[in-house]
Amino acid sequence: MGRALVGMLLLAGCRSGFESDLAELRAEIERLERDVPPDAPLWIDEGPMAFEPHVQDYTARVPDFVYNHVVRKLAQMSSGEILPQVKGALDVAAAMEDPAACRGRFWRVYGTINHLEPLRVTDRDLGVHTVYSGVLFMDGRPILFHVVDKPEVMVIGQDVVEVNGLFIKVLRYEARNGRVVDAPFVVGRRMGKFY
């Protein structure tokens, strides 16, 4: 009986420590959401507000403060500001192997459009009411993307499209067939047909 009681106390102590750590992490993220200044660069890679420590690859989410800041900044940028920053076509294998080396830079992704849908934005301070979420296949591999401008009409499964987007992370998601898939995730200003 004594061992069971000690075990329960240890388990309760671990749970309490975990909940405390989780509460501290939530408080830190909320502080960052409040403290990211509007004039901060598109991708913050230095200092106490650097995004990198908060972006975890091979998971299903992007921290809200990172995503919201990127979308807000992209909504204010023109294509003329973005195009000179594009590093070239995203090397998908390199991005999957070392996501941090590609993160926070603009890359060109292109391929056959497989899915596209509008998503209502819940944060009204982003400068847009809707983002457009999609999947394209580049060299047979899925690329997930969001764009802030409404795309032109596309034929799903046929049209080849292009997005000049900021690489955020490798995102893990469950495909319609139930299979777990890892894919690069980029956020851009617009998507267009690739000619």
Side-chain angles (χ1 to χ4, degrees):
M1 179 137 166
R3 282 186 178 173
L5 182 59
V6 169
M8 288 174 38
L9 289 173
L10 285 174
L11 183 59
C14 290
R15 177 176 287 156
S16 175
F18 174 73
E19 288 172 357
S20 174
D21 290 346
L22 196 56
E24 286 179 34
L25 181 60
R26 281 190 193 119
E28 174 68 10
I29 289 171
E30 287 174 9
R31 183 190 66 74
L32 286 168
E33 286 175 338
R34 286 190 310 271
D35 293 346
V36 175
D39 61 342
L42 176 65
W43 189 262
I44 303 172
D45 57 2
E46 295 179 344
M49 286 190 223
F51 289 162
E52 185 66 34
H54 303 283
V55 176
Q56 190 175 12
D57 293 293
Y58 300 99
T59 64
R61 74 178 293 278
V62 174
D64 288 345
F65 74 96
V66 172
Y67 180 82
N68 291 345
H69 178 75
V70 168
V71 168
R72 187 178 299 113
K73 296 297 270 191
L74 283 170
Q76 298 169 359
M77 295 176 76
S78 69
S79 293
E81 293 172 289
I82 294 170
L83 287 174
Q85 297 181 58
V86 175
K87 300 292 183 193
L90 179 67
D91 180 334
V92 177
M96 299 294 284
E97 186 175 316
D98 186 7
C102 300
R103 194 177 340 275
R105 294 181 182 88
F106 282 102
W107 299 95
R108 181 171 54 94
V109 295
Y110 56 91
T112 304
I113 187 74
N114 181 264
H115 179 79
L116 183 64
E117 70 177 297
L119 298 175
R120 294 289 296 158
V121 173
T122 56
D123 188 334
R124 296 172 193 238
D125 188 28
L126 294 186
V128 295
H129 299 291
T130 305
V131 295
Y132 298 86
S133 173
V135 179
L136 61 83
F137 278 83
M138 182 173 173
D139 299 326
R141 298 181 82 165
I143 307 288
L144 306 172
F145 66 87
H146 283 184
V147 291
V148 298
D149 287 348
K150 184 177 181 181
E152 56 190 285
V153 175
M154 302 284 164
V155 179
I156 302 297
Q158 285 186 319
D159 284 340
V160 177
V161 299
E162 173 182 55
V163 175
N164 292 313
L166 192 76
F167 175 71
I168 305 292
K169 65 177 280 182
V170 175
L171 198 81
R172 177 165 287 164
Y173 70 100
E174 187 174 327
R176 291 181 188 149
N177 63 6
R179 195 177 69 143
V180 174
V181 178
D182 295 322
F185 174 60
V186 300
V187 180
R189 173 81 197 185
R190 61 174 296 277
M191 176 189 71
K193 290 184 182 177
F194 181 71
Y195 298 102

